[in-house]
Amino acid sequence: MSSKILIIGACGQIGTELTTKLREIHGVNNVIASDINTRNLDLVNSGPFEIIDAKNYNAIKDCCKSNTIKTVYLMAALLSATGEKYPMEAWDLNMNSLFHVLNLAKQKTIDKVFWPSSIAVFGPTTPRESTPQHTICEPTTVYGITKQVGERWCEYYHEKYDVDVRSIRYPGIISHKAMPGGGTTDYAVEIYHDAIKKGNYECFLSENTSLPMMFMEDAIKATTDLMQVPSESLSIRSSYNLSAISFTPKDIFESIKKQLPEFSISYKPDFRQAIADSWPSSIDDTMARKDWNWKESFDLETMTTEMLTQLKKKYNS
Ligand code: SER
C-alpha cells in the first residue's frame, strides 16, 4: 500500500490549486481532497474527494486510516474578516482542526503535517517594515490569535512528541481560480475581477495601505518545496516568515491601468482597514531563503499580466 495525502479544506482559494499541484507531483489517486461541502465542482470531479468537516476528529481519523494517509495539509480556516464577525466559530474551527491533525501525528497515524499560519500573527506593536522572524506578536484579530497560538502548539508538538509539522506565515495570496473568502487582503483579488468585468473597483482599504502579498504560483511552490526538504534542514517549527512583494491599492491600481487605461478606482475603507493597519507592510524571510532555498518568481507587473490574461479568458468564454 502506498502512502497518501489528505487535503482538508481543498475547495478554498489555496486548497484548490494545492490539490492540482500535489496530484501532478504524487499522482491523482494518491491525493484525497476533502471539504465540508461540494461547492467547487471542478475540484470535486478532479479525483478522489470526501466530505469532511475539519472539526470532526473521527471523520479525519477514519479517512486517514482507511486510505493509509500519511501526510495531511490542513487548509480549512475562518480568515481575518470573517473571524471578527464570528469569533467563537473562528476559534472553534481554527484550533480544534489543528489539534485533531496534530494528535493524529502524535499517535503516529500520520507522519507529516502542513498547517498554514499568516502575517495575521503580527500586530500593532510589531515592527512594520521588514518584520523579523522572531519579533513581538500581539495580534488584535481572532484569526491572528488562533494562528499565533497554533504556531506555539506546532512547535510544542514537534519538541515534545517529535511531530513533523511544517508551516508558513502566508502573506495575502492573489489567484484567478477559486476566490478567497473573508480575508483582509481579498481586495487584491477582487480588483482584477472588477477591472475586467466592470472597469472600476471600490476598494475597502485606503490607497496607501501597504501589505505583504504573493502570487498563488509562488505560494504553492513554497508549500510543496517546504514539504519536500529533509526534516533536519528545518530550524523553524512554529512557522516560517515568507515574502514576495509588498504593494498598496494604489500600486496595484496603477499596474492594472497600464494594461487597461480606462480602469478607475475609488476608496471606501471599512472595518478591514483597522486590521490591515495592524499588520506589517513587508516581511524579512531570510530563514526560509536559507533553510529551504525559497525564492519568489512573480513581481507586481508579471502577476498583473498573468491575472488579466487568465481572467479575460475566464470571462470571455
Ligand atoms: N489573507 C489572510 C486574510 O486576509 C491573511 O492570512 O485574512
Side-chain angles (χ1 to χ4, degrees):
M1 278 194 295
S2 63
S3 78
K4 292 187 182 164
I5 293 169
L6 172 65
I7 304 169
I8 301 172
C11 291
Q13 186 199 13
I14 302 175
T16 302
E17 300 201 36
L18 185 61
T19 303
T20 307
K21 178 48 100 184
L22 290 173
R23 285 183 170 155
E24 266 169 46
I25 298 172
H26 301 280
V28 173
N29 291 322
N30 290 322
V31 178
I32 303 196
S34 74
D35 208 299
I36 195 168
N37 60 36
T38 54
R39 66 197 147 122
N40 184 338
L41 277 181
D42 285 346
L43 190 277
V44 169
N45 295 326
S46 70
F49 182 88
E50 292 201 13
I51 293 183
I52 293 180
D53 178 348
K55 290 186 291 188
N56 185 337
Y57 175 72
N58 286 330
I60 302 172
K61 185 184 76 182
D62 292 348
C63 178
C64 289
K65 289 204 163 163
S66 58
N67 293 292
T68 60
I69 301 285
K70 290 295 162 196
T71 302
V72 173
Y73 291 74
L74 173 56
M75 309 309 287
L78 243 65
L79 297 188
S80 59
T82 317
E84 293 308 286
K85 291 185 183 151
Y86 307 103
M88 288 300 111
E89 286 82 351
W91 179 260
D92 186 20
L93 170 63
N94 296 4
M95 296 314 302
N96 285 319
S97 59
L98 176 60
F99 280 124
H100 295 340
V101 174
L102 288 177
N103 283 328
L104 287 172
K106 178 185 170 189
Q107 295 153 22
K108 309 298 171 200
T109 301
I110 57 174
D111 295 336
K112 218 185 211 186
V113 176
F114 178 80
W115 175 78
S117 184
S118 160
I119 53 167
V121 296
F122 303 119
T125 51
T126 306
R128 292 203 77 222
E129 304 287 333
S130 272
T131 301
Q133 175 71 44
H134 300 289
T135 188
I136 301 167
C137 290
E138 295 179 329
T140 51
T141 61
V142 175
Y143 173 66
I145 294 170
T146 65
K147 290 297 178 186
Q148 183 206 27
V149 175
E151 286 189 7
R152 297 289 86 228
W153 280 110
C154 287
E155 193 180 280
Y156 186 90
Y157 270 67
H158 177 72
E159 294 297 321
K160 305 283 176 189
Y161 310 127
D162 198 27
V163 164
D164 188 357
V165 54
R166 304 172 182 209
S167 177
I168 286 170
R169 289 171 177 158
Y170 286 129
I173 308 290
I174 292 113
S175 65
H176 51 79
K177 291 195 177 133
M179 289 300 276
T184 301
T185 56
D186 295 9
Y187 91 85
V189 177
E190 291 171 4
I191 193 171
Y192 288 108
H193 286 262
D194 281 8
I196 302 278
K197 283 194 299 190
K198 302 199 281 192
N200 60 71
Y201 179 63
E202 185 180 277
C203 186
F204 58 75
L205 297 183
S206 66
E207 64 179 336
N208 293 319
T209 308
S210 176
L211 287 170
M213 300 277 188
M214 181 175 289
F215 190 51
M216 180 64 87
E217 209 172 298
D218 278 333
I220 298 295
K221 185 176 181 305
T223 308
T224 53
D225 284 357
L226 173 64
M227 289 300 274
Q228 279 170 1
V229 292
S231 185
E232 317 77 74
S233 311
L234 302 178
S235 60
I236 305 284
R237 291 298 184 152
S238 50
S239 189
Y240 278 93
N241 273 12
L242 193 74
S243 92
I245 25 178
S246 282
F247 55 78
T248 64
K250 186 161 178 265
D251 296 331
I252 192 170
F253 164 67
E254 279 166 5
S255 132
I256 296 171
K257 203 173 159 65
K258 273 187 215 157
Q259 301 192 37
L260 299 173
E262 306 294 310
F263 181 47
S264 66
I265 191 165
S266 56
Y267 298 95
K268 199 175 170 198
D270 65 15
F271 73 101
R272 289 168 282 194
Q273 183 67 46
I275 300 176
D277 288 342
S278 77
W279 289 352
S281 59
S282 61
I283 299 286
D284 179 339
D285 61 355
T286 311
M287 297 303 287
R289 289 176 198 263
K290 183 166 150 283
D291 286 1
W292 42 280
N293 293 322
W294 157 246
K295 190 169 175 11
E296 76 282 6
S297 300
F298 285 82
D299 61 17
L300 178 56
E301 298 309 321
T302 48
M303 179 175 82
T304 293
T305 302
E306 183 64 11
M307 285 295 290
L308 294 177
T309 308
Q310 295 302 332
L311 289 177
K312 275 178 197 159
K313 275 191 219 157
K314 186 181 217 158
Y315 288 116
N316 291 333
S317 65

